[in-house]
Amino acid sequence: MKSPSKIAENKTRMRERVHIRARIDATDETLNRDTGDIMKITFFTALAAILLGGAAATNAADYDINGMALGMSADQVIAKFQEVRPDAQYQFAKWKLPEGTEWVANGRTLYNDLANPDDMEHERMQFAFTGLGSGNKLFAASRELKFRPSQRPTTESVYAAAVQKFGEPSVTGKSATGIWAAWKFGSEGTMAEKLKSPLACIGTSDFPVGLDEFTAKKAKQSVSMCGIYVDFVVRGDPTGLANELEMKMMDQLHLAQDFDADNSDARKRIDAAKIKNVGNAAPAPKL
């Protein structure tokens, strides 16, 4: 039979074990909770990293040709072109509403390095703009560049520069003397979609003269097929050096809406002029 003192000692030890167990259970609960929080934090951090990383990757493409970007105004395009080619010539054509409002519809540039007649570099560019209602912004551009004979890059390096600029192409091909590629973006800020073959989204002979009814109708029919489309070809010789570069770019994603906005704006301007003219018109002649 245990003595009263021994029984009291055993009770004390049991109470201590209970307290220790309670502390252990509490610690385990805290650790589980903290671990769960840590796992949650890690998960959301990883998710954010994926989303932000993906956003950074999908926004890698810049929709411009030599700095002249889709969405620029005519003044911005001219300023950029003069910065790049201060000695070049350019001509921009305007369209006009019956009430007198004008806007830039298209433009062309011409550059020949006349300072080096025996070692010339040549460049031609074309531009097409929307109307006033949609901001009179650049929606198509093309470039033809003939390299200076003494400074010819390789066809591979020119193609690599295009891939660095626009990302992996939708479709590409090579020959003994050149490389061609195309990028089709289904929406802004996305990676180029993969294609089985190139698409006839930007004609050579029918480059837009501006956002007219013909261009808007054609874009409406091909918007899902073409989106924002970039054509690229670099030509050279069998030695691997490039002779010329051709690029074309066109945004068909917004042309139908832009055309509607242009027409709505034009109608408002014409109606306002009509109201003004009716009030200020000269009297009818004697009949």
Coordinates of all heavy atoms in Angstrom, one line a residue, residues 95 139 201 203 205-222 250 252 255-256 259 263:
W95 N -8.0 63.0 -96.1 CA -9.4 62.9 -96.6 C -10.2 64.0 -95.9 O -9.8 64.5 -94.9 CB -10.0 61.5 -96.2 CG -9.4 60.4 -97.1 CD1 -8.6 60.5 -98.2 CD2 -9.6 59.0 -96.9 NE1 -8.3 59.3 -98.7 CE2 -8.9 58.4 -97.9 CE3 -10.3 58.2 -96.0 CZ2 -8.9 57.0 -98.1 CZ3 -10.4 56.9 -96.1 CH2 -9.7 56.2 -97.2
F139 N -3.3 51.9 -88.2 CA -3.7 50.5 -88.0 C -3.0 49.6 -89.0 O -3.1 48.4 -88.9 CB -5.2 50.4 -88.3 CG -5.7 50.6 -89.7 CD1 -5.7 49.5 -90.6 CD2 -6.1 51.9 -90.1 CE1 -6.2 49.7 -91.9 CE2 -6.6 52.0 -91.4 CZ -6.6 50.9 -92.3
C201 N -3.5 37.8 -94.9 CA -4.2 38.9 -94.2 C -3.8 40.3 -94.6 O -4.5 41.2 -94.2 CB -3.9 38.7 -92.7 SG -4.7 37.2 -92.0
G203 N -2.6 42.2 -98.0 CA -2.2 42.1 -99.4 C -1.0 43.1 -99.7 O -0.8 44.1 -99.1
S205 N -0.6 44.3 -103.1 CA -1.1 45.3 -104.1 C -2.3 46.1 -103.5 O -2.5 47.2 -104.0 CB -1.5 44.6 -105.4 OG -2.6 43.7 -105.1
D206 N -3.0 45.6 -102.5 CA -4.1 46.3 -102.0 C -3.9 46.7 -100.5 O -4.8 46.6 -99.7 CB -5.4 45.4 -102.0 CG -5.2 44.1 -101.2 OD1 -4.1 43.8 -100.9 OD2 -6.2 43.5 -100.9
F207 N -2.7 47.3 -100.3 CA -2.4 47.8 -99.0 C -3.4 49.0 -98.7 O -3.7 49.8 -99.6 CB -1.0 48.4 -98.9 CG -0.5 48.8 -97.5 CD1 -0.1 47.9 -96.6 CD2 -0.6 50.1 -97.1 CE1 0.3 48.3 -95.3 CE2 -0.3 50.5 -95.8 CZ 0.2 49.6 -94.9
P208 N -4.0 49.0 -97.5 CA -5.1 50.0 -97.2 C -4.7 51.4 -97.5 O -3.5 51.8 -97.2 CB -5.4 49.8 -95.7 CG -4.9 48.4 -95.4 CD -3.7 48.2 -96.3
V209 N -5.6 52.2 -98.1 CA -5.4 53.6 -98.3 C -5.9 54.4 -97.1 O -5.8 55.6 -97.1 CB -6.0 54.1 -99.6 CG1 -5.3 53.4 -100.8 CG2 -7.5 53.8 -99.6
G210 N -6.5 53.7 -96.2 CA -7.1 54.4 -95.0 C -8.3 53.5 -94.6 O -8.6 52.4 -95.2
L211 N -9.0 53.9 -93.6 CA -10.1 53.1 -93.1 C -11.4 53.5 -93.9 O -12.1 54.4 -93.4 CB -10.3 53.2 -91.6 CG -11.4 52.3 -91.0 CD1 -11.3 50.9 -91.4 CD2 -11.4 52.4 -89.5
D212 N -11.6 52.9 -95.0 CA -12.8 53.1 -95.8 C -13.8 51.9 -95.7 O -13.5 51.0 -95.0 CB -12.4 53.4 -97.3 CG -11.6 52.2 -97.9 OD1 -11.4 51.2 -97.2 OD2 -11.1 52.4 -99.0
E213 N -14.9 52.0 -96.4 CA -15.9 51.0 -96.3 C -15.3 49.6 -96.8 O -15.6 48.6 -96.2 CB -17.1 51.4 -97.1 CG -18.3 50.4 -97.0 CD -19.5 50.9 -97.6 OE1 -19.5 52.0 -98.3 OE2 -20.6 50.2 -97.6
F214 N -14.5 49.6 -97.8 CA -14.0 48.4 -98.4 C -13.1 47.7 -97.3 O -13.2 46.5 -97.1 CB -13.2 48.7 -99.6 CG -12.4 47.5 -100.1 CD1 -13.1 46.5 -100.9 CD2 -11.0 47.4 -99.9 CE1 -12.3 45.4 -101.3 CE2 -10.3 46.3 -100.4 CZ -11.0 45.3 -101.1
T215 N -12.2 48.5 -96.7 CA -11.3 47.9 -95.7 C -12.0 47.4 -94.5 O -11.7 46.4 -93.9 CB -10.2 49.0 -95.3 OG1 -9.5 49.4 -96.5 CG2 -9.2 48.4 -94.3
A216 N -13.0 48.2 -94.0 CA -13.8 47.8 -92.9 C -14.6 46.5 -93.1 O -14.6 45.7 -92.2 CB -14.7 48.9 -92.5
K217 N -15.1 46.4 -94.3 CA -15.9 45.2 -94.6 C -15.0 44.0 -94.7 O -15.3 42.9 -94.1 CB -16.6 45.4 -96.0 CG -17.5 44.2 -96.4 CD -18.2 44.5 -97.7 CE -19.1 43.3 -98.1 NZ -19.8 43.6 -99.4
K218 N -13.9 44.1 -95.3 CA -12.9 43.0 -95.4 C -12.4 42.6 -94.0 O -12.3 41.4 -93.7 CB -11.7 43.5 -96.2 CG -10.7 42.4 -96.5 CD -9.6 42.9 -97.5 CE -8.6 41.8 -97.7 NZ -7.5 42.3 -98.6
A219 N -12.1 43.6 -93.1 CA -11.6 43.3 -91.8 C -12.7 42.6 -91.0 O -12.4 41.7 -90.2 CB -11.2 44.6 -91.1
K220 N -14.0 43.0 -91.1 CA -15.1 42.4 -90.4 C -15.2 40.9 -90.7 O -15.5 40.1 -89.9 CB -16.4 43.1 -90.7 CG -17.5 42.7 -89.8 CD -18.7 43.6 -90.1 CE -19.9 43.2 -89.1 NZ -21.1 44.0 -89.3
Q221 N -14.9 40.6 -92.0 CA -15.0 39.2 -92.4 C -13.8 38.3 -91.9 O -13.9 37.1 -91.8 CB -15.1 39.1 -93.9 CG -16.4 39.7 -94.5 CD -16.3 39.9 -96.0 OE1 -15.3 39.8 -96.6 NE2 -17.5 40.1 -96.6
S222 N -12.7 39.0 -91.7 CA -11.4 38.2 -91.4 C -10.9 38.5 -90.0 O -9.8 38.1 -89.7 CB -10.4 38.6 -92.4 OG -10.1 40.0 -92.5
M250 N -0.7 44.7 -89.5 CA -2.1 45.3 -89.6 C -2.9 44.8 -88.4 O -2.9 43.6 -88.1 CB -2.8 44.9 -90.9 CG -4.1 45.5 -91.1 SD -4.7 45.2 -92.8 CE -6.3 46.0 -92.8
Q252 N -6.5 44.2 -87.3 CA -7.9 44.1 -87.8 C -8.9 43.8 -86.7 O -10.1 43.6 -86.9 CB -8.0 42.9 -88.9 CG -7.2 43.2 -90.1 CD -7.4 42.3 -91.2 OE1 -8.6 41.9 -91.5 NE2 -6.4 41.8 -91.9
L255 N -11.1 47.3 -86.3 CA -11.4 48.1 -87.5 C -12.9 48.3 -87.7 O -13.4 49.4 -88.1 CB -10.8 47.6 -88.8 CG -9.3 47.7 -88.9 CD1 -8.8 47.4 -90.3 CD2 -8.9 49.2 -88.6
A256 N -13.7 47.2 -87.4 CA -15.1 47.4 -87.6 C -15.7 48.4 -86.6 O -16.5 49.3 -87.0 CB -15.8 46.0 -87.4
F259 N -14.5 51.9 -87.6 CA -15.3 52.4 -88.7 C -16.6 52.9 -88.3 O -17.1 54.0 -88.8 CB -15.4 51.3 -89.8 CG -16.0 51.8 -91.1 CD1 -15.4 52.7 -91.9 CD2 -17.3 51.3 -91.5 CE1 -16.0 53.1 -93.1 CE2 -17.9 51.8 -92.6 CZ -17.2 52.7 -93.5
N263 N -17.9 56.8 -88.7 CA -19.1 57.2 -89.3 C -20.0 58.0 -88.4 O -20.7 59.0 -88.8 CB -19.8 55.9 -89.8 CG -19.3 55.4 -91.1 OD1 -18.6 56.2 -91.8 ND2 -19.6 54.2 -91.5

